[in-house]
Amino acid sequence: MSTSPLLEQLIDALRCLPGVGQKSAQRMAYHLLERERAGGRRLAERLAEAMEKVGHCERCRDFSESPLCPICSSPARDAQTLCIVETPADRLAIETATGYRGLYFVLQGRLSPLDGIGPRELGLDVLAARLATGEVAELIVATNPTVEGEATAHYLAQLARGHGVRPSRPAHGLPLGGELEYTDRGTLAHAFGTRAEILR
Amino acid sequence: MSTSPLLEQLIDALRCLPGVGQKSAQRMAYHLLERERAGGRRLAERLAEAMEKVGHCERCRDFSESPLCPICSSPARDAQTLCIVETPADRLAIETATGYRGLYFVLQGRLSPLDGIGPRELGLDVLAARLATGEVAELIVATNPTVEGEATAHYLAQLARGHGVRPSRPAHGLPLGGELEYTDRGTLAHAFGTRAEILR
């Protein structure tokens, strides 16, 4: 029993955050009340605003508070290359790690017929219409190397070829700095099978 | 670079939560936007309300939205026993785990002269006035068994004796279900030194 119903309600509400159970929620609530009231107030405002105003870019389906996100509306990006990712987090990872200057398309999921997620739910009709315009030359299919991600990649590659667009996929193999001994068997088998000749 | 400034601001604001860095904050923000907008809105409301309205009980200094917390104002609690804890979390732990029916006093810290935390900052003047009324018979000093917690306990025990109140301290020793081999040296030495005779 807490000494404050409002505090109980706050702890309860904090549990909607991923990875936060009763104990962490308690610690967070106490921390905010004891030492971070200003931060807590700011978080309340930002949360309310983001939940209300952040929608999806109508072109790439990533999060955006304007109809077109800054990347899709940037004239500096190369519209001939389109990279498909499953989630906004994947898009951010690519944008942060690589020097990619093309555009993105965020599926917000992957094909999963058993869960009722088909091409339409992933916006693939919109994507097909975009490929049909002929403005895209290469489609980089960066779905995850999981079973469902690979199935989605296969579907997307066929869709691309059907519109005369060249599909590609990021290379799979040993991670840089990793050790053979600790690499999972699937990755090692794949890397071994797709070995490349050392040219010089 | 995110596709939405509001999303960036939300991620930034989430980092005021304890144990939440850039990566976790990102994951939380994406999770709320993708799957938990209702939960996010509710969290924003609860946060704003708690930050504004939750203050401290004027009797025990625990969190409370009313001048007196439910425990201090309950006629069912035994006012002759007073338990001193460092934080509201400690109070909650005792309330949850034990059958304690007395009252509490929350220091909201521990004596730490180097950090400028003296008796006044912990409300010990208020506590002394309460002990002087003669309504308290036993003072259970449940500060943490750390160096500062022990120093605070020593100070509180003297304060209690000065007002004719019997000070006590929860027992220290081996945790139930723990193993000797994995118990830290300090605890083991203490438990060994304060061993009790097996009576029958």
Side-chain angles (χ1 to χ4, degrees):
Chain A
M1 169 191 166
S2 165
T3 47
S4 157
L6 285 180
L7 177 55
E8 287 283 353
Q9 287 174 11
L10 172 58
I11 291 172
D12 197 56
L14 280 165
R15 296 186 56 181
C16 78
L17 295 173
V20 174
Q22 177 67 17
K23 230 17 194 188
S24 313
Q26 241 173 54
R27 200 162 59 93
M28 287 175 169
Y30 284 142
H31 176 87
L32 291 176
L33 285 170
E34 276 164 23
R35 259 162 290 179
E36 278 274 28
R37 297 232 177 191
R41 276 189 210 103
R42 196 174 54 238
L43 176 55
E45 283 163 24
R46 300 273 160 90
L47 252 179
E49 208 178 350
M51 293 302 122
E52 231 42 69
K53 295 190 188 159
V54 175
H56 294 280
C57 170
E58 49 192 43
R59 204 165 150 77
C60 74
R61 295 171 37 110
D62 200 343
F63 291 122
S64 175
E65 61 219 56
S66 45
L68 272 191
C69 77
I71 292 183
C72 283
S73 53
S74 163
R77 311 286 301 213
D78 168 20
Q80 293 206 309
T81 323
L82 187 62
C83 176
I84 313 274
V85 290
E86 292 182 17
T87 66
D90 294 338
R91 206 270 311 151
L92 184 60
I94 293 176
E95 188 74 7
T96 312
T98 74
Y100 181 64
R101 300 300 299 157
L103 297 177
Y104 295 95
F105 186 85
V106 181
L107 299 175
Q108 301 280 7
R110 69 220 78 174
L111 286 179
S112 179
L114 290 180
D115 301 318
I117 301 176
R120 180 167 293 273
E121 283 69 30
L122 302 182
L124 297 192
D125 42 349
V126 181
L127 178 66
R130 185 157 165 192
L131 295 182
T133 64
E135 71 179 32
V136 178
E138 180 182 358
L139 191 76
I140 305 176
V141 184
T143 54
N144 289 317
T146 58
V147 174
E148 288 174 337
E150 292 290 355
T152 309
H154 183 73
Y155 184 97
L156 287 166
Q158 290 202 309
L159 184 72
R161 279 193 211 97
H163 289 92
V165 173
R166 183 162 39 93
S168 65
R169 190 134 174 75
H172 295 140
L174 302 173
L176 298 191
E179 297 188 42
L180 282 186
E181 184 181 353
Y182 300 112
T183 303
D184 70 284
R185 286 168 53 181
T187 302
L188 186 52
H190 179 89
F192 215 72
T194 57
R195 63 193 176 278
E197 191 182 342
I198 302 171
L199 291 174
R200 39 173 277 135
Chain B
M1 169 192 166
S2 165
T3 46
S4 156
L6 285 180
L7 177 55
E8 288 282 352
Q9 288 174 11
L10 172 58
I11 292 172
D12 197 56
L14 280 165
R15 296 186 56 182
C16 79
L17 296 173
V20 174
Q22 178 67 19
K23 234 9 196 196
S24 314
Q26 243 173 51
R27 200 161 59 91
M28 287 175 170
Y30 283 140
H31 176 86
L32 290 177
L33 285 170
E34 276 165 24
R35 257 160 292 179
E36 278 273 30
R37 297 233 178 192
R41 276 190 210 104
R42 196 174 53 237
L43 176 56
E45 285 163 24
R46 301 273 161 89
L47 252 180
E49 208 179 352
M51 293 303 121
E52 231 43 68
K53 295 189 189 159
V54 175
H56 294 279
C57 169
E58 48 193 44
R59 203 163 150 78
C60 74
R61 293 171 40 107
D62 200 343
F63 292 122
S64 175
E65 60 221 55
S66 44
L68 271 191
C69 76
I71 292 183
C72 283
S73 54
S74 164
R77 312 285 300 211
D78 168 22
Q80 293 206 311
T81 323
L82 187 62
C83 176
I84 313 275
V85 292
E86 290 182 17
T87 66
D90 295 338
R91 207 268 313 150
L92 184 60
I94 292 176
E95 188 72 7
T96 311
T98 73
Y100 181 64
R101 300 301 299 159
L103 297 177
Y104 295 95
F105 187 86
V106 182
L107 299 174
Q108 301 279 5
R110 69 220 77 173
L111 287 177
S112 180
L114 290 180
D115 301 318
I117 300 177
R120 181 167 293 274
E121 283 68 31
L122 302 182
L124 298 192
D125 42 349
V126 181
L127 177 66
R130 186 158 165 190
L131 296 182
T133 64
E135 70 180 30
V136 179
E138 180 181 359
L139 192 76
I140 304 176
V141 184
T143 55
N144 289 315
T146 58
V147 174
E148 287 174 338
E150 291 290 355
T152 308
H154 182 75
Y155 185 96
L156 287 167
Q158 289 202 309
L159 184 71
R161 278 193 212 96
H163 289 91
V165 173
R166 183 162 39 92
S168 65
R169 191 136 171 73
H172 294 139
L174 302 174
L176 296 191
E179 298 189 40
L180 283 185
E181 183 181 354
Y182 300 113
T183 303
D184 69 284
R185 286 168 54 182
T187 301
L188 187 52
H190 180 88
F192 215 73
T194 58
R195 64 192 175 278
E197 191 183 343
I198 301 172
L199 291 175
R200 39 173 276 133

